[in-house]
Amino acid sequence: MRYSLHLCGLLASLALASDVTQLKKDDFKGFMEEHDLVLAEFFAPWCGHCKALAPEYESAATTLKEKDIQLVKVDCTEEQDLCQEYGVEGYPTLKVFRGPENITPYGGQRKADSIVSYMTKQNLPAVSDITKDTLEEFKTADKVVLVAYFAADDKTSNETFTSVANGLRDNYLFGATSDAALAEAEGVKQPAIVLYKTFDEGKNTFTEKFDKEAIETFAKVSATPLVGEVGPETYSGYITSGLPLAYIFAETPEEREALAKELKPLAEKHKGAINFATIDAKSFGQHAGNLNLEVGKWPAFAIQRTDKNQKYPFDQEKEITEKEIGAFVDDFVAGKIEPSIKSEPIPETQEGPVTVVVAKNYEDIVMDNDKDVLLEFYAPWCGHCKALAPKYEELAALYGGDLASKVVIAKVDATANDVPDEIQGFPTIKLYPAGKKDSPVDYSGARTVEDFIQFIKENGSHKVEAVLPAEPEVEEEKEDLPEQAAAATEKVAEKVADAAEGATESAKSAASEATEAVKSAVAVDDDKMDEHDEL
């Protein structure tokens, strides 16, 4: 007992020492009014991702406290109204507050270093004034910083650089100086931009005409390591870059370092056209299956067209050398290699109201320009998908008959079929309107038949509205009231029991689903938990 009391006291003291402030509805707005910059986490105690974030969030809070940047958290199981007020739909949700009314989503990764880096940028002006006394410190203030050197009267360069900084301030630190002597000391002639970085060659210089798009491209290309590392912190950045990504799978740090060195000349040759990165095959090896590689056969190499989600696996029987991979990459660039397509067989017949889509009939069904197509991307192990299934079947049944020529309700197993979109979580539901197949609409509403019907009506090209069948009316006899009351009481008891059982099963399903999600693929949003395959 003494030991337990001592442990409780220790835990209590640790909780008191937290640099993260927990807020409730009564003090939330007052806190935001008192502090200029706050990062708020809206969480649920049972959420696995929230638990994983907790130590990172705490570490970041301690570091940022010195910069007077506050980190707070809100328990949405206790403060439901507050979380609903700020549009919280999943956990954890992170938002940046500059007062109670100025709110933006947090756009960084869920790691301490990333939180510190992101919030530090938020605390600075879009462009910091640089002097000879502050330049050296500014160069190392983050992994990547950009400093512009232009004359004080060069308003055009100043305005262009500031415009770039405003657009990319969440990604990089920007500074500027009009000190000609400082520019000369850095070996550049005004106007110029130097990107300083803590990797590769240490810096890159932009000396072209100050054009907004050219500077943005320069920043993105120069800020990407020649041979980086794919992981939870970098994955989304590589995917959203729009450039093909060349993966180098290997199990040990030593082997990844050796292969990176071997293929670095290829990365230099294709810089700005293809990103090269190693990936830990022990932690994230299951992702190789998403690239149509054989999992467990290492080392391995594959290229992914991130814009079209096309995969180009390198023959795993061949050795990974600069010569072999160089020829493969050259053929890829020249368009001589066909993408590898993983697909289930096309169903001989469509059974049931929901149309089954596979990779081989994706174009024929989803891209049918005459029909609005609502498509669910699902995974067989996903508990949320299983819960949605009966409602989705009910929805599909409403669009039969005459409506079938205008609206299709479909689903695709995104773990067994290659699809054009990079799916981040299951289920993902998109509407592909007739005549606008290049502009699908993401569904983010409640997963009810009524809400789906309204969504299709509002966003589909045909504006079709299915009609739910009316519930039958039951006439009640007065003399039956006592029996009906007893039956109602019994029914309530049954519902309570069912709810309790459902809650238990839901918890089991969530735990099972979380484990399976990690085993299946990378970047699965709320369904991945346990192992290491969490890109």
Side-chain angles (χ1 to χ4, degrees), residues 225-279:
L226 281 173
V227 183
E229 178 88 11
V230 175
E233 289 297 287
T234 59
Y235 179 74
S236 61
Y238 278 121
I239 294 301
T240 58
S241 73
L243 296 179
L245 176 57
Y247 292 87
I248 307 165
F249 285 87
E251 290 187 287
T252 67
E254 294 77 15
E255 190 174 19
R256 290 195 294 276
E257 184 178 349
L259 289 172
K261 185 177 180 180
E262 173 77 15
L263 301 184
K264 190 173 181 178
L266 300 179
E268 290 176 328
K269 176 181 177 181
H270 298 285
K271 184 176 181 178
I274 301 174
N275 287 326
F276 283 71
T278 60
I279 181 168

Side-chain angles (χ1 to χ4, degrees), residues 6-18:
H6 175 73
L7 180 59
C8 290
L10 176 61
L11 292 174
S13 66
L14 289 174
L16 290 173
S18 172

Side-chain angles (χ1 to χ4, degrees), residues 26-38:
D26 293 342
D27 56 8
F28 188 86
K29 288 189 177 178
F31 190 94
M32 297 305 167
E33 288 171 350
E34 292 174 11
H35 298 87
D36 294 331
L37 182 62
V38 180

Side-chain angles (χ1 to χ4, degrees), residues 101-118:
E101 306 301 329
N102 188 350
I103 310 160
T104 56
Y106 170 77
Q109 301 295 324
R110 297 173 186 172
K111 293 292 183 182
D113 289 347
S114 294
I115 294 170
V116 170
S117 176
Y118 187 91

Side-chain angles (χ1 to χ4, degrees), residues 311-328:
K311 296 85 179 272
Y312 301 80
F314 178 72
D315 187 347
Q316 288 174 270
E317 298 298 326
K318 294 183 178 180
E319 189 178 356
I320 295 180
T321 64
E322 180 186 347
K323 181 179 178 181
E324 292 284 357
I325 296 297
F328 179 78

Side-chain angles (χ1 to χ4, degrees), residues 187-380:
V188 296
K189 183 179 179 182
Q190 297 173 323
I193 300 170
V194 179
L195 182 144
Y196 300 95
K197 53 190 178 182
T198 59
F199 49 88
D200 291 342
E201 63 271 48
K203 69 177 184 178
N204 298 106
T205 304
F206 179 86
T207 56
E208 301 171 26
K209 182 182 178 182
F210 270 45
D211 174 77
K212 186 174 184 290
E213 289 187 6
I215 296 173
E216 289 174 344
T217 300
F218 162 76
K220 292 175 182 177
V221 171
S222 301
T224 304
L226 281 173
V227 183
E229 178 88 11
V230 175
E233 289 297 287
T234 59
Y235 179 74
S236 61
Y238 278 121
I239 294 301
T240 58
S241 73
L243 296 179
L245 176 57
Y247 292 87
I248 307 165
F249 285 87
E251 290 187 287
T252 67
E254 294 77 15
E255 190 174 19
R256 290 195 294 276
E257 184 178 349
L259 289 172
K261 185 177 180 180
E262 173 77 15
L263 301 184
K264 190 173 181 178
L266 300 179
E268 290 176 328
K269 176 181 177 181
H270 298 285
K271 184 176 181 178
I274 301 174
N275 287 326
F276 283 71
T278 60
I279 181 168
D280 184 345
K282 279 187 177 179
S283 297
F284 309 116
Q286 292 299 320
H287 186 46
N290 297 332
L291 302 169
N292 300 346
L293 288 166
E294 181 182 339
V295 176
K297 197 168 185 177
W298 318 120
F301 182 90
I303 300 175
Q304 179 185 15
R305 280 281 303 271
T306 59
D307 57 341
K308 297 182 179 180
N309 198 27
Q310 293 176 335
K311 296 85 179 272
Y312 301 80
F314 178 72
D315 187 347
Q316 288 174 270
E317 298 298 326
K318 294 183 178 180
E319 189 178 356
I320 295 180
T321 64
E322 180 186 347
K323 181 179 178 181
E324 292 284 357
I325 296 297
F328 179 78
V329 174
D330 285 343
D331 285 345
F332 166 79
V333 172
K336 296 180 180 179
I337 304 176
E338 291 294 322
S340 169
I341 299 177
K342 177 172 62 177
S343 178
E344 294 178 295
I346 296 176
E348 293 184 8
T349 58
Q350 291 286 355
E351 299 179 1
V354 179
T355 300
V356 176
V357 172
V358 299
K360 291 180 178 177
N361 67 1
Y362 187 95
E363 285 290 324
D364 294 336
I365 296 175
V366 181
M367 296 295 121
D368 183 342
N369 225 18
D370 296 328
K371 299 177 182 178
D372 295 329
V373 180
L374 186 72
L375 181 63
E376 175 201 3
F377 300 86
Y378 75 95

Side-chain angles (χ1 to χ4, degrees), residues 14-282:
L14 289 174
L16 290 173
S18 172
D19 288 318
V20 177
T21 304
Q22 184 156 347
L23 300 177
K24 296 181 178 296
K25 186 171 184 177
D26 293 342
D27 56 8
F28 188 86
K29 288 189 177 178
F31 190 94
M32 297 305 167
E33 288 171 350
E34 292 174 11
H35 298 87
D36 294 331
L37 182 62
V38 180
L39 177 62
E41 176 201 3
F42 298 88
F43 75 100
W46 46 258
C47 163
H49 293 301
C50 303
K51 293 175 183 176
L53 171 62
E56 303 289 341
Y57 200 66
E58 189 68 53
S59 175
T62 301
T63 302
L64 290 169
K65 181 175 67 172
E66 302 172 359
K67 302 181 180 182
D68 197 28
I69 300 174
Q70 303 295 317
L71 268 62
V72 304
K73 61 182 179 181
V74 176
D75 184 344
C76 289
T77 63
E78 295 181 355
E79 304 295 330
Q80 296 180 14
D81 291 343
L82 181 60
C83 294
Q84 187 174 5
E85 180 182 346
Y86 289 104
V88 176
E89 296 180 346
Y91 310 116
T93 291
L94 297 165
K95 293 180 180 285
V96 178
F97 285 77
R98 288 185 172 85
E101 306 301 329
N102 188 350
I103 310 160
T104 56
Y106 170 77
Q109 301 295 324
R110 297 173 186 172
K111 293 292 183 182
D113 289 347
S114 294
I115 294 170
V116 170
S117 176
Y118 187 91
M119 294 305 295
T120 298
K121 296 183 185 76
Q122 298 299 310
N123 200 36
L124 294 172
V127 180
S128 300
D129 291 326
I130 303 299
T131 67
K132 64 179 181 180
D133 296 326
T134 61
L135 178 60
E136 290 305 316
E137 181 181 357
F138 190 80
K139 284 181 184 179
T140 58
D142 205 0
K143 291 181 180 179
V144 174
V145 302
L146 290 94
V147 178
Y149 299 87
F150 45 71
D153 59 354
D154 188 351
K155 292 183 179 180
T156 301
S157 296
N158 188 357
E159 289 174 357
T160 302
F161 187 71
T162 300
S163 176
V164 173
N166 283 326
L168 298 177
R169 63 176 299 165
D170 291 347
N171 304 92
Y172 318 114
L173 289 180
F174 290 84
T177 177
S178 58
D179 188 337
L182 196 54
E184 185 177 355
E186 289 297 306
V188 296
K189 183 179 179 182
Q190 297 173 323
I193 300 170
V194 179
L195 182 144
Y196 300 95
K197 53 190 178 182
T198 59
F199 49 88
D200 291 342
E201 63 271 48
K203 69 177 184 178
N204 298 106
T205 304
F206 179 86
T207 56
E208 301 171 26
K209 182 182 178 182
F210 270 45
D211 174 77
K212 186 174 184 290
E213 289 187 6
I215 296 173
E216 289 174 344
T217 300
F218 162 76
K220 292 175 182 177
V221 171
S222 301
T224 304
L226 281 173
V227 183
E229 178 88 11
V230 175
E233 289 297 287
T234 59
Y235 179 74
S236 61
Y238 278 121
I239 294 301
T240 58
S241 73
L243 296 179
L245 176 57
Y247 292 87
I248 307 165
F249 285 87
E251 290 187 287
T252 67
E254 294 77 15
E255 190 174 19
R256 290 195 294 276
E257 184 178 349
L259 289 172
K261 185 177 180 180
E262 173 77 15
L263 301 184
K264 190 173 181 178
L266 300 179
E268 290 176 328
K269 176 181 177 181
H270 298 285
K271 184 176 181 178
I274 301 174
N275 287 326
F276 283 71
T278 60
I279 181 168
D280 184 345
K282 279 187 177 179

